[in-house]
Amino acid sequence: MAFLTKLSKISPLARVCLSRCMSHVPENTVYGGPTPQTADRRVTLNQLKQKYKKGEPITVVTAYDYPSAVHLDIAGIVICLVGDSASMVVHGHDTTLLISLEEMLVHCRAVARGAKRPLLVGDLPFGTYETSTSQAVDTAVKVLREGGMDAIKLEGGSPSRITAAKAIVEAGIAVIGHVGLTPQAISVLGGFRPQGKNVSSVIKVVETAMALQEAGCFSVVLECVLAPVAAAATSALRIPTIGIGAGPFCSGEVLVYHDLLGMLQHPHHAKVTPKFCKQYACVRDVIKKALSEYKEEVNNGSFPGPSHTPYKMNPDDVNGFFKELEKLGLNKAASVATAAAEKMNTAQRPDTEASQK
């Protein structure tokens, strides 16, 4: 009571300062006022819009695990897409149809731990959003809440897909649309083929992209459509287009991590590597060389050598270990241990002497 009496007598300014000190609300929240963006903060939709307005290209790359996410983060990639292409390049399936929501969530969580700056977008896998808008919203919520994503991407431009996109946006979740070649619909499209080759189909690509924009999507992926069609769609829209096999006229580009790095060399992957993909490296050759060298060194006994055997026993411990092994009746093991210790000391001595010179 005495404390309250004293509190009532202090000045208004002091009371505000005291209440701030006593507040349970952290200073770095909206209640503490706006804070400036830094290079280490997550890319936001507002920043994406600013890049689009300035005509700055938007880079998008897929990632499926912690290491690939870290690589994207370090490279400064703007959007990190956890794509259902994981079904093909990670799980070895022939299509994107077979990956489950549970598997996608595992990939999403791993990527969220590694990519701290890119905007994180998770694909809704096949069979998890087509039945109803309620199912679509529930799946999108899981991708954000359980997967750690910032937004979702869904494929297709049928009325039901556009309705699903609108429902997800109205639920407060950012959405990227996807038109043209939609891999989840290959059974209808007749395989992985370019889309929009006649007048009616090319007009449909543009109209579908515009419908997704009106549904509230903040961006649209244009996959495997002719360059003039992609140019027309990009001009007609007020949101960024992200091209993949769609020519140079989109607002940004997306490639699959494994494709652009040239990671895989298995015959299975050769038949699903798209023609439009540019390989910026040939990581598969580096991996093959490293694994072959490792195998050879293990086989010939040169690895692990002294420089990769850092843990040592002092002579007293070696003798004590020897005696304990003898007490257990393991005389041969004792002799082997002693010989190994002597061999390692002899091998490491030249390195020690060289470092002292």
Side-chain angles (χ1 to χ4, degrees):
M1 189 69 180
F3 172 76
L4 294 176
T5 302
K6 291 180 180 179
L7 183 62
S8 65
K9 295 179 180 180
I10 65 175
S11 68
L13 178 60
R15 189 177 295 114
V16 169
C17 293
L18 182 59
S19 66
R20 166 53 65 189
C21 293
M22 295 172 63
S23 175
H24 67 282
V25 178
E27 294 266 2
N28 61 347
T29 69
V30 291
Y31 298 99
T35 55
Q37 291 287 334
T38 68
D40 294 330
R41 292 177 181 251
R42 178 83 66 205
V43 171
T44 65
L45 290 184
N46 282 335
Q47 290 173 318
L48 200 66
K49 290 176 183 177
Q50 291 305 312
K51 286 183 70 68
Y52 171 65
K53 288 180 179 179
K54 294 176 183 177
E56 297 176 0
I58 299 167
T59 52
V60 187
V61 178
T62 65
Y64 313 102
D65 55 21
Y66 178 82
S68 57
V70 170
H71 292 157
L72 267 61
D73 192 77
I74 293 172
I77 299 300
V78 177
I79 298 177
C80 175
L81 171 63
V82 184
D84 59 0
S85 48
S87 178
M88 301 174 75
V89 298
V90 177
H91 296 273
H93 298 303
D94 289 331
T95 73
T96 63
L97 304 180
L98 300 177
I99 194 166
S100 68
L101 177 59
E102 289 70 27
E103 288 170 323
M104 282 296 297
L105 290 175
V106 171
H107 291 299
C108 287
R109 286 191 287 266
V111 167
R113 287 190 287 269
K116 302 302 180 184
R117 286 175 290 185
L119 183 75
L120 301 180
V121 180
D123 261 337
L124 299 191
F126 178 72
T128 66
Y129 62 99
E130 298 89 344
T131 302
S132 65
T133 55
S134 176
Q135 183 200 32
V137 171
D138 289 345
T139 302
V141 167
K142 281 189 175 183
V143 171
L144 265 65
R145 187 166 60 192
E146 299 179 25
M149 298 290 99
D150 303 311
I152 64 95
K153 181 174 78 67
L154 57 75
E155 291 187 9
S158 66
S160 63
R161 301 295 175 89
I162 293 169
T163 300
K166 188 173 188 295
I168 294 170
V169 171
E170 289 177 349
I173 298 171
V175 178
I176 293 182
H178 185 154
V179 299
L181 171 59
T182 48
Q184 291 180 8
I186 59 167
S187 61
V188 175
L189 299 176
F192 296 102
R193 298 175 179 175
Q195 302 299 299
K197 286 191 169 183
N198 55 53
V199 174
S200 62
S201 62
V202 296
I203 287 297
K204 185 178 179 181
V205 168
V206 177
E207 290 177 339
T208 301
M210 294 179 69
L212 287 166
Q213 173 183 261
E214 294 307 309
C217 292
F218 71 90
S219 180
V220 176
V221 171
L222 303 176
E223 181 168 359
C224 288
V225 301
L226 301 176
V229 181
T234 301
S235 175
L237 295 176
R238 303 182 305 277
I239 57 176
T241 57
I242 306 299
I244 177 166
F249 305 111
C250 295
S251 312
E253 290 294 319
V254 57
L255 282 178
V256 170
Y257 180 84
H258 293 67
D259 292 342
L260 77 89
L261 292 179
M263 286 191 68
L264 301 179
Q265 57 186 356
H266 192 277
H268 164 78
H269 189 253
K271 67 181 180 182
V272 297
T273 301
K275 295 178 180 178
F276 56 75
C277 180
K278 178 179 179 179
Q279 290 190 357
Y280 287 84
C282 198
V283 175
R284 61 177 173 270
D285 290 346
V286 177
I287 293 172
K288 181 181 178 181
K289 182 174 182 292
L291 291 174
S292 297
E293 288 180 0
Y294 164 73
K295 173 188 170 185
E296 179 63 25
E297 290 190 3
V298 170
N299 286 341
N300 65 29
S302 61
F303 177 82
S307 60
H308 294 98
T309 310
Y311 312 113
K312 306 177 184 68
M313 292 182 73
N314 63 51
D316 291 339
D317 288 338
V318 172
N319 289 333
F321 184 44
F322 179 88
K323 292 176 181 178
E324 291 299 320
L325 287 172
E326 283 190 324
K327 289 178 183 180
L328 294 172
L330 301 173
N331 295 338
K332 183 179 179 181
S335 299
V336 169
T338 303
E342 291 175 354
K343 182 178 181 180
M344 294 312 302
N345 287 335
T346 301
Q348 290 167 347
R349 198 172 294 126
D351 292 339
T352 304
E353 292 173 355
S355 66
Q356 291 174 348
K357 289 182 180 180

